Amino acid sequence: MTIGTAPPPLRLRVVQDGPEAAATVLKRTGLSDLEVDPAVAARSAAVFDTPELRDLVSSVGLSPASAEEALSPEQFVERVVRLVRAAGDTALRLISERLDGAVPADLETSPAEIAAAYQQVDAQFVADLRLAADRIRRFHEHQRRPSWLDVDEGLGQIIRPLERVGIYAPLSTAAYPSSVLMAAIPARVAGVDEVMLSMPPRPDGRHQPEMVVAADIAGVDRLFKIGGAQAIAALAYGTESVPKVDKILGPGNIFVVLAKKRVFGDVDIDQLPGPTETLVVADDTAPADEVAADLLAQAEHDPLASAILITSSERLAAAVPSALAEQLGQLERAEIARESLERRGGIVVAASVERALALANEYAPEHLCLLVADAWSYLPAIKHAGGVFLGRYSPEAAGDYVAGPSHIMPTAATARFSSPLSVDDFLKITSVIALSASQLVELGPAAARLARAEGLTAHAAAVERRLH
Amino acid sequence: MTIGTAPPPLRLRVVQDGPEAAATVLKRTGLSDLEVDPAVAARSAAVFDTPELRDLVSSVGLSPASAEEALSPEQFVERVVRLVRAAGDTALRLISERLDGAVPADLETSPAEIAAAYQQVDAQFVADLRLAADRIRRFHEHQRRPSWLDVDEGLGQIIRPLERVGIYAPLSTAAYPSSVLMAAIPARVAGVDEVMLSMPPRPDGRHQPEMVVAADIAGVDRLFKIGGAQAIAALAYGTESVPKVDKILGPGNIFVVLAKKRVFGDVDIDQLPGPTETLVVADDTAPADEVAADLLAQAEHDPLASAILITSSERLAAAVPSALAEQLGQLERAEIARESLERRGGIVVAASVERALALANEYAPEHLCLLVADAWSYLPAIKHAGGVFLGRYSPEAAGDYVAGPSHIMPTAATARFSSPLSVDDFLKITSVIALSASQLVELGPAAARLARAEGLTAHAAAVERRLH
């Protein structure tokens, strides 16, 4: 910003509860409606336009698209996945080279690089990460679930950790060491044997030292320098350098998300994340400057992030825009926050806190912040939210780092049916059935009759053979 | 079979543990390698070749493929999903008419039809279903999980049931009322508000009375007469007749599976099921006729089902093929079972029970049956299986109906990372963060420093504003 030039005024939508609010501020975009920048799509076929990649593309039975052709994001991802699955490291390197430029000689971070990373960050940062890691660990230890066996009934559930998981960490407008803790520590608490992390490297072929230190503190076993859809394909099917995992977790751009969806079934995945979002519900007791600060903390993530206020207070609705404009000027990422607020944010005035919460339940936000008097009393009214932040001493920004729950939460209204990343993501169950002879005598005849009713005579025979 | 003509001999693979076994009997096909009958694919474009459907296809921006064109299964499903999403019941009816012939006037089963269904089944069948339902309910009640709140720590997890789920039940070579219980009862135990079921109707526009009675006993609220990918699309996005659900569960053919994968993200789904499979591990104490009966109970499901024996006993490996051949003659579905055994089944001879279990862990079967001495003692060695059936009085066929655990279990080696259908499938979590002023004073500075390290100054400011 040139000295002496005032920033343009903030164009923020402020609307009354009703059809206009539903059609603007509170409008939802589904995950399957995510769009790719047409300029990026137009360049996507050119990625495969080298002699080596043209040969590989033919060898997996795909037609070598001409460099000018625009592949849809799904076609691009299909191509990457099939190449990496068929040609392993060779494909991984050729594709990464085209997308990122140079590819490091060794795709894995070495112990020497990890040791060096600690030298490049300051001691306070390490101490803060350790504090956060400790809180995250304690919260997730609450979630451990025991196996159970009822020997008399001959029934039970064996609950076991997954053997090997792969976490993806993107490198977008910033690197987030906190996200490494939030994904890897629950895996460690669950008891996963091997936790791997993959991230795109910097142009110098290394990772940010902050990310390396976070991975080490979180207990990550192996750290790879691969990004994008090709990283997801490598984790899903394995290559010479990257072992195949059982589950892939973590956020990424649309190509990463589509690649996760593509490989789902062959491996498990966690969620299909969309842009991050916060919905603040505030009444007349909330200070406008704190509401504005919380909205900005969301908006600074990404121009596609959503920061929305629903308030029962006309005073607050009037005061927040100017508080936002004022605080914007103090932010490093002011332009991103401004674009987010103008494109995807806004204020809705509702008749009451109850009505605001009804709208919030319909929106099903990733983060729901209650800046209202007696916030605890509204907890039972909250049906759909990834995380709920009660009261002014629980800013979502604290939850992003040190509160304890994982900050990887369901976006795009998927809080209706999905959950924050947790220990559950790393467990799987085997049902145990061990009937005694007398139980089979008691239950077997009904099983055999039901089998015959379904036309399955071999089922009936397998039971009856034991009854004689 | 003509009287006097002996059936052809059973051509069953019997191999020693080693590379040949790995390449034949124990070879795995991934879910993303599922194939469609080329004849079905060739006809798929013709489905949309009516004046009304051609218009609809154009209206959603797709090119109206000529009737001769073969759509890939993914393209077929994409087309169905987009049409139903855009045109609701109209698309649903037009597509169902082309695929199934007549479409019932009312897409929902009426209370009168439910009452009539009870008159068409016998009382013993109803009693057997109620016994099964009761056992399934009791097993799943073990799995209820309470919310927790630690008010001093200001942290917790609110665990809530999903609001509305849709279960799909296929109508393949048989109808399976038991599968209705196995999917719907865990939903009811979890506390889901509304449980809906959709199945393709019979040519007379009704459902099998056995399925209707099972749905009623399981506590299904609404029962729809829609099949295929169009049913999945209707449940995912809602139509005039079908309300949108939060999660879709249950097995189906490849089009149903691909449709579930397509809508995943906009709604949740359970698993991507492949053909069913049983792996029997038996030692020299196992009676050959019972082993054979268990393999046949699996093989009769589907020509693509897998029934495999791994045994440490050469005697058993020699005796089971003739026991299979003998029992095959007594089955109604002998031809299906024969095809399954010859194409997808087999016997592997391993050096020991321990080695057999190592192979079983690698295979990660849906059903693992241990017909060995002291079966319980091997339980800790089992790492990957949907369900484990211990000892001769726990035939998998009993587990299919009355043992209690849901018989909807992970196939195609997904037992490495996924679980049998359970109460967990119907729950979701909201994290609660409610720090006190003194906690924020203690934790806030670390949060603010970590935020600044990530370049997120608005995050830091949102915390610091509360510290002053």
Side-chain angles (χ1 to χ4, degrees), chain B residues 177-460:
Chain B
S178 57
S179 292
V180 172
L181 305 187
M182 295 292 182
I185 292 173
R188 279 269 94 100
V189 171
V192 171
D193 293 340
E194 193 173 9
V195 179
M196 312 205 305
L197 179 68
S198 194
M199 329 188 263
R202 295 187 306 200
D204 70 356
R206 302 204 160 203
H207 285 307
Q208 285 76 359
E210 291 79 9
M211 295 294 272
V212 175
V213 167
D216 191 60
I217 288 175
V220 167
D221 296 298
R222 300 181 67 179
L223 181 51
F224 291 94
K225 299 170 179 174
I226 314 163
Q230 64 272 28
I232 304 303
L235 291 167
Y237 300 107
T239 72
E240 298 85 339
S241 298
V242 183
K244 175 176 168 40
V245 301
D246 296 312
K247 183 167 185 170
I248 300 173
L249 304 99
N253 66 20
I254 186 164
F255 297 104
V256 167
V257 171
L258 288 173
K260 284 173 69 179
K261 188 165 176 176
R262 168 62 180 74
V263 302
F264 173 52
D266 291 338
V267 294
D268 197 14
I269 63 170
D270 56 341
Q271 308 173 348
L272 297 174
T276 180
E277 57 199 37
T278 285
L279 203 154
V280 177
V281 169
D283 65 11
D284 204 46
T285 66
D289 69 317
E290 292 181 11
V291 172
D294 288 350
L295 295 173
L296 288 168
Q298 185 61 32
E300 74 170 337
H301 271 292
D302 183 342
L304 294 178
S306 289
I308 295 169
L309 167 64
I310 308 181
T311 181
S312 56
S313 162
E314 292 279 2
R315 179 197 61 77
L316 202 63
V320 165
S322 48
L324 286 168
E326 187 195 318
Q327 292 177 35
L328 256 182
Q330 300 152 25
L331 299 182
E332 269 180 33
R333 297 162 67 94
E335 283 318 303
I336 293 172
R338 171 189 294 277
E339 192 181 342
S340 157
L341 288 172
E342 293 186 345
R343 286 179 58 187
R344 314 269 308 208
I347 299 177
V348 176
V349 180
S352 62
V353 171
E354 287 74 12
R355 173 65 190 159
L357 286 176
L359 292 170
N361 280 329
E362 203 159 315
Y363 193 81
E366 181 188 10
H367 307 116
L368 175 59
C369 305
L370 295 197
L371 293 172
V372 297
D374 198 11
W376 273 102
S377 71
Y378 293 102
L379 191 52
I382 295 165
K383 293 186 182 172
H384 308 300
V388 55
F389 300 79
L390 297 179
R392 59 183 293 222
Y393 298 111
S394 293
E396 193 256 308
D400 276 345
Y401 297 103
V402 294
S406 177
H407 72 203
I408 299 172
M409 293 183 177
T411 58
T414 63
R416 287 192 65 86
F417 51 75
S418 89
S419 307
L421 188 143
S422 77
V423 168
D424 288 343
D425 276 297
F426 302 100
L427 300 175
K428 51 128 187 185
I429 298 174
T430 296
S431 295
V432 178
I433 293 140
L435 304 179
S436 64
S438 64
Q439 281 172 310
L440 191 66
V441 166
E442 188 194 328
L443 299 169
R449 285 189 302 264
L450 286 168
R452 285 189 201 284
E454 293 184 351
L456 298 177
T457 54
H459 281 64

Side-chain angles (χ1 to χ4, degrees), chain B residues 10-267:
Chain B
L10 179 68
R11 289 185 302 274
L12 189 73
R13 274 184 292 234
V14 182
V15 293
Q16 294 292 320
D17 177 17
E20 193 195 340
T24 58
V25 178
L26 298 176
K27 185 169 160 49
R28 273 297 196 185
T29 309
L31 275 175
S32 71
D33 303 318
L34 284 180
E35 277 173 20
V36 164
D37 181 345
V40 172
R43 286 195 306 272
S44 59
V47 168
F48 306 100
D49 193 29
T50 72
E52 296 94 335
L53 279 165
R54 274 197 301 269
D55 286 353
L56 269 190
V57 165
S58 305
S59 74
V60 298
L62 289 164
S63 64
S66 76
E68 293 75 35
E69 201 176 321
L71 296 172
S72 74
E74 287 83 1
Q75 288 170 322
F76 177 83
V77 162
E78 179 70 26
R79 198 153 279 221
V80 168
V81 167
R82 284 171 68 171
L83 293 182
V84 171
R85 191 173 181 184
D89 280 356
T90 305
L92 207 49
R93 287 183 173 281
L94 289 172
I95 295 168
S96 297
E97 215 166 75
R98 293 287 288 169
L99 290 170
D100 310 330
V103 177
D106 193 341
L107 293 174
E108 189 168 356
T109 297
S110 66
E113 285 175 282
I114 296 169
Y118 276 93
Q119 304 309 312
Q120 294 170 274
V121 300
D122 66 52
Q124 182 67 60
F125 175 75
V126 174
D128 289 339
L129 276 188
R130 290 205 167 116
L131 166 73
D134 186 51
R135 302 252 332 159
I136 297 164
R137 194 172 296 117
R138 270 165 48 202
F139 180 79
H140 287 87
E141 279 168 354
H142 255 282
Q143 300 167 25
R144 286 214 186 103
R145 302 166 67 182
S147 297
W148 62 271
L149 282 174
D150 183 329
V151 178
D152 291 336
E153 286 283 327
L155 296 174
Q157 292 183 297
I158 306 292
I159 304 181
R160 281 182 166 277
L162 304 186
E163 287 188 353
R164 189 190 283 138
V165 301
I167 295 165
Y168 185 80
L171 179 62
S172 54
T173 50
Y176 298 128
S178 57
S179 292
V180 172
L181 305 187
M182 295 292 182
I185 292 173
R188 279 269 94 100
V189 171
V192 171
D193 293 340
E194 193 173 9
V195 179
M196 312 205 305
L197 179 68
S198 194
M199 329 188 263
R202 295 187 306 200
D204 70 356
R206 302 204 160 203
H207 285 307
Q208 285 76 359
E210 291 79 9
M211 295 294 272
V212 175
V213 167
D216 191 60
I217 288 175
V220 167
D221 296 298
R222 300 181 67 179
L223 181 51
F224 291 94
K225 299 170 179 174
I226 314 163
Q230 64 272 28
I232 304 303
L235 291 167
Y237 300 107
T239 72
E240 298 85 339
S241 298
V242 183
K244 175 176 168 40
V245 301
D246 296 312
K247 183 167 185 170
I248 300 173
L249 304 99
N253 66 20
I254 186 164
F255 297 104
V256 167
V257 171
L258 288 173
K260 284 173 69 179
K261 188 165 176 176
R262 168 62 180 74
V263 302
F264 173 52
D266 291 338
V267 294

Side-chain angles (χ1 to χ4, degrees), chain A residues 32 128 178 246 261-262 266 294 297 300 383-385 388 394 416 428 430-431 435 449 454 459 466, chain B residues 32 128 178 246 261-262 266 294 297 300 383-385 388 394 416 428 430 435 449 454 459 466:
Chain A
S32 71
D128 290 339
S178 57
D246 296 312
K261 187 166 177 178
R262 167 63 179 73
D266 290 338
D294 289 349
E300 75 170 336
K383 291 185 182 174
H384 308 300
V388 55
S394 294
R416 287 192 65 85
K428 51 127 187 185
T430 296
S431 296
L435 304 180
R449 284 189 302 263
E454 293 185 350
H459 282 64
R466 270 83 171 190
Chain B
S32 71
D128 289 339
S178 57
D246 296 312
K261 188 165 176 176
R262 168 62 180 74
D266 291 338
D294 288 350
E300 74 170 337
K383 293 186 182 172
H384 308 300
V388 55
S394 293
R416 287 192 65 86
K428 51 128 187 185
T430 296
L435 304 179
R449 285 189 302 264
E454 293 184 351
H459 281 64
R466 271 84 172 190

Side-chain angles (χ1 to χ4, degrees), chain A residues 184-199:
Chain A
I185 292 173
R188 279 268 94 101
V189 171
V192 171
D193 293 339
E194 192 171 8
V195 179
M196 311 205 304
L197 178 69
S198 193
M199 328 187 267

Side-chain angles (χ1 to χ4, degrees), chain A residues 58-245:
Chain A
S58 304
S59 74
V60 299
L62 289 163
S63 65
S66 77
E68 293 75 36
E69 201 176 322
L71 295 173
S72 73
E74 288 83 0
Q75 289 170 320
F76 177 82
V77 162
E78 177 71 24
R79 200 154 277 222
V80 169
V81 168
R82 284 171 69 171
L83 293 182
V84 172
R85 193 175 179 184
D89 280 356
T90 306
L92 207 51
R93 287 184 173 279
L94 289 171
I95 295 167
S96 297
E97 214 167 77
R98 294 287 288 167
L99 291 169
D100 309 330
V103 177
D106 193 340
L107 293 174
E108 188 167 355
T109 297
S110 67
E113 286 175 282
I114 296 170
Y118 275 95
Q119 305 308 313
Q120 294 169 275
V121 299
D122 66 52
Q124 183 67 59
F125 174 76
V126 174
D128 290 339
L129 276 188
R130 289 207 167 114
L131 168 73
D134 186 50
R135 304 255 327 161
I136 298 163
R137 195 172 297 116
R138 270 166 47 203
F139 180 79
H140 287 87
E141 279 168 355
H142 255 282
Q143 300 167 25
R144 286 215 185 104
R145 303 166 66 184
S147 298
W148 62 271
L149 282 172
D150 183 330
V151 179
D152 292 337
E153 286 283 327
L155 295 174
Q157 291 184 298
I158 306 292
I159 304 182
R160 280 180 168 279
L162 304 186
E163 288 188 352
R164 189 191 284 139
V165 302
I167 295 165
Y168 185 80
L171 178 64
S172 55
T173 49
Y176 297 129
S178 57
S179 292
V180 172
L181 305 187
M182 295 292 182
I185 292 173
R188 279 268 94 101
V189 171
V192 171
D193 293 339
E194 192 171 8
V195 179
M196 311 205 304
L197 178 69
S198 193
M199 328 187 267
R202 295 186 307 201
D204 70 357
R206 303 208 159 201
H207 286 308
Q208 285 75 358
E210 292 79 8
M211 295 294 270
V212 175
V213 167
D216 191 60
I217 288 175
V220 168
D221 297 297
R222 300 181 67 179
L223 181 51
F224 291 94
K225 299 171 179 175
I226 314 163
Q230 63 273 28
I232 304 302
L235 292 167
Y237 300 107
T239 71
E240 297 85 339
S241 298
V242 184
K244 174 178 169 35
V245 302

